[in-house]
Amino acid sequence: MEKNIVVIEGDGIGPEVTRQSVKVLNAIAEQFGHTFHYSYHLMGADAIDKTGNPLPDETIEACLNSDAILFGAIGHPKYDNDPTAKVRPEQGLLKLRKSLQLFANIRPVTTYESLHHLSPLKTKNIEGVDFVIFRELTGGIYFGKKEVNEERTQASDDCVYTREEIERVTHLAFQYAQQRRKKLTLVDKANVLETSRLWRKVVQEIAAQYADVTVDFLFVDNAAMQIILNPKQFDVVLTENMFGDIISDEASVISGSLGLLPSASIGKGAALFEPIHGSYPQAAGKDIANPLGSILSAAMLLDHLGLAREAALVREAVEWTLSNSFVTKDIDPVNFYFTSTIGELICDYVSNRVPGGINKANIELRKSTII
């Protein structure tokens, strides 16, 4: 297989975690006889600094003509701390989603036995947790009309959804549920919001086409509580843009680290794959960030290209590093490994270069010094 992949490294730790994913993709290509062509493009604060534009036209053009997009992260404190900034890194991401019609964000939430102690939830509540959040990505309040009066004492954000926007992500979620445990949960606020009532109506109608999938409904406040109380009850969760943004971040901490979780944004064109964490500028350039969210995003990219066996091998390699305590600082703040070392270890596993017995003394280990 020969594919063209656009790489947007972005800001903060984005470049260093994305580099590990590219190394892993290259190891997969070598092992299975594929060819991946990469082109690198700007977005976010880095793009603003270099071009004045958070999403240059050439980046959009490259993405439109690619087979997939591997993305790092965007964001910088100088924009986060300035609410009056007219140009912001996040504008680039919203524009890219709209330009590529990336209408569905898919976030798997899984736990790892070796990391149960890091979860804020009790072990008995997270064993076997495995669900996926489908978030509508190009509609709702984030893309609605925004107004503020001249005195800046009153503001409004319109939340608008059309039947078509709801239908297309709903069909994807149902199809995904059919390949899993055949349960779908719609999260809305239909007791208060007209947009949520439309969501519920459309999902109820579409459910008749997927008779093998059990459907239930939760108001978003109850869903947020249930994710903490009993996350094992969920299989596929479907929701609108803002609710999905919030509950997917809530669910992400179940595994014990934000650095572990991947995501995919799919639609009518090339799909985009990114870890769910932010740009974490405080760690940028220190080689301490967790690359697993990015590497698992690369596994989702491989799945999207129809390379299921290759994707499974990457996930197996990630599981191997975690079970052998090859982890970054967010997981073990005392005995932790470099970002680049984790990437190399996963490449070694993919390339079948891992010996039967591991001598950890031969692997570069960074230890913290407490003064």
Side-chain angles (χ1 to χ4, degrees), residues 68-82:
I69 303 146
L70 185 64
F71 172 53
I74 57 168
H76 194 281
K78 66 183 177 183
Y79 300 101
D80 298 338
N81 299 328
D82 182 8

PDB file of all heavy atoms in Angstrom, residues 68-82:
ATOM      1  N   ALA A  68      -4.693  10.833   4.656  1.00  0.00           N
ATOM      2  CA  ALA A  68      -4.946  10.949   6.093  1.00  0.00           C
ATOM      3  C   ALA A  68      -4.069  12.066   6.647  1.00  0.00           C
ATOM      4  O   ALA A  68      -3.073  12.463   6.035  1.00  0.00           O
ATOM      5  CB  ALA A  68      -4.644   9.636   6.811  1.00  0.00           C
ATOM      6  N   ILE A  69      -4.454  12.554   7.832  1.00  0.00           N
ATOM      7  CA  ILE A  69      -3.726  13.645   8.476  1.00  0.00           C
ATOM      8  C   ILE A  69      -3.355  13.220   9.886  1.00  0.00           C
ATOM      9  O   ILE A  69      -4.217  12.764  10.651  1.00  0.00           O
ATOM     10  CB  ILE A  69      -4.581  14.927   8.533  1.00  0.00           C
ATOM     11  CG1 ILE A  69      -5.034  15.330   7.124  1.00  0.00           C
ATOM     12  CG2 ILE A  69      -3.815  16.061   9.197  1.00  0.00           C
ATOM     13  CD1 ILE A  69      -6.394  15.963   7.082  1.00  0.00           C
ATOM     14  N   LEU A  70      -2.076  13.357  10.217  1.00  0.00           N
ATOM     15  CA  LEU A  70      -1.592  13.082  11.567  1.00  0.00           C
ATOM     16  C   LEU A  70      -1.289  14.426  12.221  1.00  0.00           C
ATOM     17  O   LEU A  70      -0.491  15.206  11.709  1.00  0.00           O
ATOM     18  CB  LEU A  70      -0.335  12.217  11.507  1.00  0.00           C
ATOM     19  CG  LEU A  70       0.236  11.736  12.841  1.00  0.00           C
ATOM     20  CD1 LEU A  70      -0.745  10.807  13.546  1.00  0.00           C
ATOM     21  CD2 LEU A  70       1.568  11.011  12.615  1.00  0.00           C
ATOM     22  N   PHE A  71      -1.939  14.681  13.345  1.00  0.00           N
ATOM     23  CA  PHE A  71      -1.896  16.010  13.959  1.00  0.00           C
ATOM     24  C   PHE A  71      -1.394  15.903  15.396  1.00  0.00           C
ATOM     25  O   PHE A  71      -1.747  14.978  16.122  1.00  0.00           O
ATOM     26  CB  PHE A  71      -3.305  16.605  13.889  1.00  0.00           C
ATOM     27  CG  PHE A  71      -3.498  17.889  14.632  1.00  0.00           C
ATOM     28  CD1 PHE A  71      -2.657  18.970  14.415  1.00  0.00           C
ATOM     29  CD2 PHE A  71      -4.534  18.028  15.533  1.00  0.00           C
ATOM     30  CE1 PHE A  71      -2.839  20.162  15.098  1.00  0.00           C
ATOM     31  CE2 PHE A  71      -4.733  19.216  16.214  1.00  0.00           C
ATOM     32  CZ  PHE A  71      -3.884  20.282  15.993  1.00  0.00           C
ATOM     33  N   GLY A  72      -0.578  16.908  15.806  1.00  0.00           N
ATOM     34  CA  GLY A  72      -0.013  16.906  17.149  1.00  0.00           C
ATOM     35  C   GLY A  72      -0.896  17.589  18.169  1.00  0.00           C
ATOM     36  O   GLY A  72      -1.695  16.948  18.858  1.00  0.00           O
ATOM     37  N   ALA A  73      -0.805  18.896  18.275  1.00  0.00           N
ATOM     38  CA  ALA A  73      -1.616  19.666  19.223  1.00  0.00           C
ATOM     39  C   ALA A  73      -1.445  21.141  18.889  1.00  0.00           C
ATOM     40  O   ALA A  73      -0.470  21.532  18.252  1.00  0.00           O
ATOM     41  CB  ALA A  73      -1.164  19.404  20.659  1.00  0.00           C
ATOM     42  N   ILE A  74      -2.410  21.960  19.308  1.00  0.00           N
ATOM     43  CA  ILE A  74      -2.258  23.399  19.125  1.00  0.00           C
ATOM     44  C   ILE A  74      -2.592  24.125  20.422  1.00  0.00           C
ATOM     45  O   ILE A  74      -3.283  23.599  21.287  1.00  0.00           O
ATOM     46  CB  ILE A  74      -3.147  23.961  17.989  1.00  0.00           C
ATOM     47  CG1 ILE A  74      -4.625  23.627  18.234  1.00  0.00           C
ATOM     48  CG2 ILE A  74      -2.673  23.494  16.647  1.00  0.00           C
ATOM     49  CD1 ILE A  74      -5.555  24.378  17.320  1.00  0.00           C
ATOM     50  N   GLY A  75      -2.060  25.339  20.535  1.00  0.00           N
ATOM     51  CA  GLY A  75      -2.342  26.169  21.691  1.00  0.00           C
ATOM     52  C   GLY A  75      -1.085  26.766  22.278  1.00  0.00           C
ATOM     53  O   GLY A  75      -0.005  26.173  22.206  1.00  0.00           O
ATOM     54  N   HIS A  76      -1.223  27.976  22.857  1.00  0.00           N
ATOM     55  CA  HIS A  76      -0.089  28.636  23.495  1.00  0.00           C
ATOM     56  C   HIS A  76      -0.623  29.567  24.570  1.00  0.00           C
ATOM     57  O   HIS A  76      -1.658  30.222  24.377  1.00  0.00           O
ATOM     58  CB  HIS A  76       0.725  29.418  22.462  1.00  0.00           C
ATOM     59  CG  HIS A  76       2.066  29.850  22.967  1.00  0.00           C
ATOM     60  ND1 HIS A  76       2.230  30.950  23.803  1.00  0.00           N
ATOM     61  CD2 HIS A  76       3.305  29.327  22.789  1.00  0.00           C
ATOM     62  CE1 HIS A  76       3.508  31.090  24.092  1.00  0.00           C
ATOM     63  NE2 HIS A  76       4.182  30.119  23.498  1.00  0.00           N
ATOM     64  N   PRO A  77       0.074  29.659  25.721  1.00  0.00           N
ATOM     65  CA  PRO A  77      -0.407  30.502  26.819  1.00  0.00           C
ATOM     66  C   PRO A  77      -0.648  31.955  26.431  1.00  0.00           C
ATOM     67  O   PRO A  77      -1.521  32.613  27.001  1.00  0.00           O
ATOM     68  CB  PRO A  77       0.715  30.392  27.855  1.00  0.00           C
ATOM     69  CG  PRO A  77       1.361  29.088  27.582  1.00  0.00           C
ATOM     70  CD  PRO A  77       1.277  28.905  26.103  1.00  0.00           C
ATOM     71  N   LYS A  78       0.124  32.472  25.483  1.00  0.00           N
ATOM     72  CA  LYS A  78      -0.047  33.887  25.145  1.00  0.00           C
ATOM     73  C   LYS A  78      -1.412  34.167  24.521  1.00  0.00           C
ATOM     74  O   LYS A  78      -1.893  35.307  24.549  1.00  0.00           O
ATOM     75  CB  LYS A  78       1.079  34.365  24.220  1.00  0.00           C
ATOM     76  CG  LYS A  78       1.101  33.749  22.842  1.00  0.00           C
ATOM     77  CD  LYS A  78       2.314  34.277  22.067  1.00  0.00           C
ATOM     78  CE  LYS A  78       2.435  33.635  20.688  1.00  0.00           C
ATOM     79  NZ  LYS A  78       3.641  34.087  19.972  1.00  0.00           N
ATOM     80  N   TYR A  79      -2.042  33.118  23.986  1.00  0.00           N
ATOM     81  CA  TYR A  79      -3.407  33.259  23.477  1.00  0.00           C
ATOM     82  C   TYR A  79      -4.428  32.851  24.538  1.00  0.00           C
ATOM     83  O   TYR A  79      -5.478  33.475  24.670  1.00  0.00           O
ATOM     84  CB  TYR A  79      -3.585  32.417  22.221  1.00  0.00           C
ATOM     85  CG  TYR A  79      -2.644  32.822  21.107  1.00  0.00           C
ATOM     86  CD1 TYR A  79      -1.488  32.088  20.853  1.00  0.00           C
ATOM     87  CD2 TYR A  79      -2.888  33.959  20.335  1.00  0.00           C
ATOM     88  CE1 TYR A  79      -0.608  32.467  19.858  1.00  0.00           C
ATOM     89  CE2 TYR A  79      -2.014  34.335  19.340  1.00  0.00           C
ATOM     90  CZ  TYR A  79      -0.871  33.590  19.101  1.00  0.00           C
ATOM     91  OH  TYR A  79      -0.010  33.987  18.117  1.00  0.00           O
ATOM     92  N   ASP A  80      -4.112  31.800  25.297  1.00  0.00           N
ATOM     93  CA  ASP A  80      -5.022  31.355  26.358  1.00  0.00           C
ATOM     94  C   ASP A  80      -5.266  32.463  27.375  1.00  0.00           C
ATOM     95  O   ASP A  80      -6.367  32.594  27.926  1.00  0.00           O
ATOM     96  CB  ASP A  80      -4.451  30.129  27.079  1.00  0.00           C
ATOM     97  CG  ASP A  80      -4.289  28.937  26.152  1.00  0.00           C
ATOM     98  OD1 ASP A  80      -4.970  28.905  25.111  1.00  0.00           O
ATOM     99  OD2 ASP A  80      -3.476  28.048  26.474  1.00  0.00           O
ATOM    100  N   ASN A  81      -4.233  33.263  27.644  1.00  0.00           N
ATOM    101  CA  ASN A  81      -4.323  34.293  28.682  1.00  0.00           C
ATOM    102  C   ASN A  81      -4.745  35.656  28.138  1.00  0.00           C
ATOM    103  O   ASN A  81      -4.721  36.648  28.873  1.00  0.00           O
ATOM    104  CB  ASN A  81      -2.971  34.424  29.393  1.00  0.00           C
ATOM    105  CG  ASN A  81      -2.557  33.131  30.084  1.00  0.00           C
ATOM    106  OD1 ASN A  81      -3.402  32.372  30.556  1.00  0.00           O
ATOM    107  ND2 ASN A  81      -1.250  32.869  30.129  1.00  0.00           N
ATOM    108  N   ASP A  82      -5.105  35.701  26.857  1.00  0.00           N
ATOM    109  CA  ASP A  82      -5.515  36.971  26.254  1.00  0.00           C
ATOM    110  C   ASP A  82      -6.883  36.813  25.594  1.00  0.00           C
ATOM    111  O   ASP A  82      -6.980  36.471  24.413  1.00  0.00           O
ATOM    112  CB  ASP A  82      -4.481  37.424  25.223  1.00  0.00           C
ATOM    113  CG  ASP A  82      -4.847  38.770  24.592  1.00  0.00           C
ATOM    114  OD1 ASP A  82      -5.815  39.402  25.064  1.00  0.00           O
ATOM    115  OD2 ASP A  82      -4.176  39.172  23.621  1.00  0.00           O
TER     116      ASP A  82
END
